Amino acid sequence: MKPVYILNDNMITSLGFTTAENILAIKKGTIGIRTVNDPLLYPNPVPVSIVNDDLLNERLGEALADHHKTSPSDAFTRLEKFFIISIHDVLKNSPVEKGDPRTLLVISTTKGNIDLLEDRFKSKFSHKRLYLWELGRVIQQFFGFVNMPVIVSNACISGVLAIIISARFLQSGAFDHAVVAGGDIATEFVISGFQSFQALSPDPCKPFDLNRTGLSLGEGCGSIVLSIHPDTSRTPLVRVSGASVSNDANHISGPSRTGEELSWAINQAMEQARVSPREISYISAHGTATLFNDEMESKALENCELSNVPVNSFKGYWGHTLGAAGIIESVATISTLRSNYLYRSAGFDTLGVPSPLRVITTNRPGEVNACLKTASGFGGCNAAIIYQKD
Amino acid sequence: MGATLPLFIRKINMDRIITAYSHITENKVIVNDRLIFYQENIVNFADFVKIVYKQEMINYPRFYKMDAISKLGFLAVELVLKEKTIAGYRPEAVGVIMSNSSSSLDTDIAHNETIKDRSSYFPSPSVFVYTLPNIIIGEVCIKNKIKGENAFLISEAFNGKLLCDYADELFDNKRVEACLCGWVEVMGNNCNALVALVETADRSADSSGSGFKPMLFNAENMNFIMKRN
């Protein structure tokens, strides 16, 4: 099977607008989740990781100027601004031509421009903008991609699944390059929904910890350029070497009791990558910090004989960013791989899951050659992907 | 290698067939080319799906808890699997790829209604959980013990080519042995669902006695079924 390489990446969270800014913040131990008292987001104060609006508009201005666009910044929704800044950054230093018919654009989002349901936006944007394909079209046209974007909306695995679908389309020979971008914003729509589930933690989330009390929401966007042509000027080369998706067939809003379906996806991904559990040197888990998700993941990793591998969840830094999560956490995973440097799992202190896990408690150097990224979500879906140095 | 690869893929594609399908529109249900339900002047989606559910004698109490789009997707899949069972496959060998235009917008609007007014602020988990389109896939997987590949894709209009290209990739690389592929769209009282069961020729021999002649699985045939009915 053709190798698919990672050429370039970007991520936007409350911690920064580029991969480098985010990684620097993580190294310093900065937590982006803060208690926000904003009645436009929720009637009561709620911990959430929010991207600063002034900085967002400043970065958008730079992207618009670079593209010689005269459109005013308020021509775009908040989420469209995220996508424009992220994709602009990732294309800046990449050999990929947007206008090339061999380039595919794949967009991942769970809720798209859902804020446009709020009365305050009704006069500003047309109803059509609520449709995810219209969001895709705005982004496609802004950059001049020739192919209609593929849009993936598959709950919390959307981001990982978008990368998997892109890699598969590249491997099948249909395209040479893919720009995969995923984003979601924090809205009252989503916060009120998770709050109704009593799934939100009153404090910044603590994945895998004994005292975890639920998840924290966040907003963000990430982009990755994939290609069948390696960029030999940037070493080490990193590629997608295996991937799989499964369904629990158990419950629409709760994970599998045994974790066996996530295990199956992980085993399939490892088999495809031709790596054994012993060759996996790092795991970037989904780690939402809900009671049942983290329990399920620990069981799944034990089933796969991966309990002894260093593992973290990046959600302790910027919360659960939904359709962005799989992309930005993959970007942080790829950074771990490139730099041979493992990051602490923020919020973690004492192990509180039924199966053993080796959660990373301090930032430290560590040889990383093959790593596993997982995701699980509502609807019972699971995804696993292996990133590997060439 | 460049010259042989497309031929190789085409050869495999010849063996992939639609062994059963259902197509549900506002007041009409077609299964394997047969009109099984038609009623003029149906204006209400909720009534329509309930009548079809009862006519087909499906007994699954969870159905009543589902939102409109999951009811539609569930029903479309049940009608297909009544024609052609997937019981012979391992749970992990069956995939589900669904698509639509409006994601879960119909239910998103319902959730939004519960938070619009601060004096009656009652977001409900039983509504919110359905504000994701892939919940349809989740419901179908729970009912039929399907544990394989899933994906929910969004496009403005039905895109048979996208579905086939992706499903073909899954078959080519032996990620699935059978796959439910389709489109499930609801907005208010407008609905449109097309679900096809795709199998390989060697595994589809135990066909039902309904007289349906399986069709090749390709974009042309998927688009043809969607347009004809």
Side-chain angles (χ1 to χ4, degrees):
Chain A
M1 201 170 288
K2 278 185 201 167
V4 170
Y5 297 93
I6 312 277
L7 296 196
N8 206 4
D9 53 63
N10 163 276
M11 61 191 293
I12 300 174
T13 72
S14 61
L15 299 182
F17 287 85
T18 62
T19 305
E21 288 171 22
N22 274 280
I23 294 299
L24 187 66
I26 288 177
K27 275 190 175 163
K28 286 183 183 162
T30 317
I31 306 298
I33 305 161
R34 306 233 164 91
T35 299
V36 176
N37 196 354
D38 179 355
L40 291 173
L41 279 181
Y42 195 63
N44 305 318
V46 60
V48 50
S49 169
I50 297 280
V51 174
N52 180 285
D53 243 339
D54 295 334
L55 292 176
L56 180 73
N57 286 320
E58 197 181 302
R59 299 287 176 127
L60 179 74
E62 292 166 18
L64 294 178
D66 281 359
H67 278 267
H68 311 292
K69 299 273 184 189
T70 52
S71 22
S73 65
D74 62 3
F76 301 103
T77 66
R78 187 172 161 79
L79 181 61
E80 287 160 10
K81 292 176 187 180
F82 277 57
F83 274 110
I84 289 170
I85 297 166
S86 181
I87 296 174
H88 169 68
D89 182 54
V90 88
L91 288 175
K92 227 169 17 189
N93 309 308
S94 127
V96 170
E97 292 291 332
K98 304 157 294 198
D100 185 346
R102 303 286 298 164
T103 300
L104 176 69
L105 173 65
V106 179
I107 301 279
S108 147
T109 184
T110 64
K111 295 315 306 165
N113 289 320
I114 199 66
D115 52 338
L116 302 189
L117 280 178
E118 296 172 31
D119 286 337
R120 60 182 166 138
F121 294 115
K122 282 210 169 125
S123 59
K124 290 189 186 156
F125 296 99
S126 73
H127 180 75
K128 196 166 126 183
R129 212 70 161 247
L130 276 160
Y131 286 80
L132 304 185
W133 46 263
E134 181 62 12
L135 165 73
R137 183 149 61 196
V138 168
I139 298 161
Q140 177 203 0
Q141 287 179 349
F142 181 90
F143 290 101
F145 288 100
V146 290
N147 294 303
M148 260 204 321
V150 171
I151 297 166
V152 181
S153 190
N154 214 98
C156 304
I157 73 161
S158 298
V160 175
L161 181 58
I163 298 168
I164 293 174
I165 290 174
S166 305
R168 287 172 177 175
F169 275 136
L170 295 187
Q171 280 163 342
S172 73
F175 299 94
D176 284 0
H177 317 285
V179 177
V180 199
D184 266 305
I185 53 168
T187 56
E188 184 177 13
F189 184 101
V190 170
I191 295 171
S192 66
F194 275 99
Q195 196 71 275
S196 77
F197 261 101
Q198 300 184 313
L200 295 187
S201 169
D203 303 304
C205 66
K206 300 161 83 66
F208 304 115
D209 191 80
L210 182 64
N211 299 313
R212 68 187 181 280
T213 47
L215 60 83
S216 299
L217 286 168
E219 58 182 4
C221 189
S223 302
I224 294 179
V225 179
L226 297 173
S227 178
I228 55 167
H229 306 296
D231 177 3
T232 47
S233 69
R234 193 174 181 198
T235 50
L237 297 176
V238 174
R239 61 191 169 87
V240 177
S241 57
S244 183
V245 182
S246 69
N247 195 289
D248 294 341
N250 174 53
H251 198 283
I252 52 170
S253 58
S256 158
R257 291 201 186 100
T258 60
E260 93 182 59
E261 297 79 13
L262 174 60
S263 296
W264 183 81
I266 293 170
N267 283 330
Q268 290 293 115
M270 289 195 296
E271 193 175 304
Q272 194 193 328
R274 297 202 179 88
V275 295
S276 68
R278 230 175 273 171
E279 291 167 287
I280 300 283
S281 32
Y282 160 67
I283 301 164
S284 170
H286 188 53
T288 60
T290 65
L291 189 60
F292 294 122
N293 173 79
D294 292 7
E295 280 189 1
M296 182 278 283
E297 278 191 273
S298 77
K299 291 177 194 167
L301 293 174
E302 185 177 44
N303 291 343
C304 295
E305 297 170 31
L306 289 166
S307 298
N308 228 352
V309 180
V311 59
N312 68 2
S313 161
F314 284 106
K315 291 186 176 71
Y317 294 98
W318 48 62
H320 192 346
T321 56
L322 309 175
I327 311 262
I328 65 177
E329 291 164 17
S330 284
V331 171
T333 302
I334 293 158
S335 167
T336 303
L337 196 58
R338 285 194 200 278
S339 60
N340 288 315
Y341 194 86
L342 302 170
Y343 302 105
R344 177 176 80 92
S345 197
F348 177 81
D349 182 48
T350 310
L351 191 69
V353 285
S355 297
L357 281 182
R358 212 171 128 200
V359 182
I360 304 165
T361 52
T362 46
N363 293 344
R364 62 176 170 88
E367 178 81 15
V368 183
N369 288 307
C371 51
L372 166 70
K373 168 81 201 113
T374 64
S376 299
F378 276 6
C381 47
N382 306 290
I385 187 165
I386 311 264
Y387 298 107
Q388 211 170 339
K389 276 180 197 159
D390 218 17
Chain B
M1 175 162 173
T4 56
L5 193 64
L7 280 173
F8 176 65
I9 289 171
R10 187 175 303 159
K11 184 174 174 295
I12 292 176
N13 282 356
M14 294 293 284
D15 296 327
R16 227 157 272 160
I17 51 182
I18 300 168
T19 52
Y21 79 87
S22 68
H23 189 198
I24 307 177
T25 48
E26 273 88 43
N27 57 357
K28 194 166 76 172
V29 181
I30 289 166
V31 178
N32 286 357
D33 298 343
R34 304 186 319 272
L35 182 68
I36 66 155
F37 182 89
Y38 177 77
Q39 196 169 319
E40 254 176 280
N41 305 322
I42 286 190
V43 285
N44 184 313
F45 171 80
D47 293 344
F48 168 58
V49 283
K50 232 176 273 173
I51 298 168
V52 177
Y53 174 91
K54 285 186 174 152
Q55 176 190 298
E56 293 303 304
M57 296 186 290
I58 298 163
N59 183 16
Y60 191 63
R62 249 195 92 74
F63 176 79
Y64 292 99
K65 286 188 183 176
M66 297 177 195
D67 72 339
I69 202 160
S70 289
K71 281 191 175 115
L72 181 67
F74 171 85
L75 206 51
V77 169
E78 286 309 291
L79 295 174
V80 167
L81 297 182
K82 269 173 104 172
E83 296 293 317
K84 183 75 177 66
T85 177
I86 50 166
Y89 294 98
R90 290 173 297 118
E92 294 82 9
V94 183
V96 186
I97 308 170
M98 292 288 166
S99 59
N100 78 4
S101 173
S102 64
S103 181
S104 55
L105 190 54
D106 190 64
T107 300
D108 294 351
I109 291 168
H111 172 66
N112 193 55
E113 289 299 318
T114 68
I115 58 170
K116 257 184 154 171
D117 186 354
R118 286 292 146 92
S119 60
S120 61
Y121 198 84
F122 290 113
S124 150
S126 59
V127 176
F128 181 68
V129 70
Y130 285 101
T131 61
L132 292 164
N134 65 297
I135 298 298
I136 302 162
I137 297 176
E139 292 285 12
V140 165
C141 287
I142 291 169
K143 170 64 172 58
N144 299 294
K145 287 280 158 254
I146 295 171
K147 294 190 173 183
E149 287 277 343
N150 10 149
F152 203 104
L153 307 173
I154 307 286
S155 49
E156 182 173 2
F158 179 71
N159 187 340
K161 184 172 182 329
L162 177 64
L163 286 178
C164 293
D165 284 351
Y166 191 55
D168 279 339
E169 199 283 340
L170 300 182
F171 276 103
D172 288 345
N173 293 294
K174 302 190 166 38
R175 304 185 209 281
V176 295
E177 292 168 17
C179 193
L180 290 160
C181 288
W183 173 266
V184 185
E185 171 66 28
V186 174
M187 183 51 68
N189 287 316
N190 298 316
C191 72
N192 190 349
L194 165 62
V195 172
L197 173 63
V198 182
E199 297 176 272
T200 54
D202 55 320
R203 292 295 299 271
S204 62
D206 48 338
S207 208
S208 65
S210 69
F212 173 66
K213 190 169 171 287
M215 307 162 82
L216 282 182
F217 174 60
N218 55 40
E220 292 73 30
N221 283 340
M222 289 292 280
N223 290 332
F224 172 73
I225 297 170
M226 182 56 112
K227 282 187 191 133
R228 179 187 54 182
N229 297 321

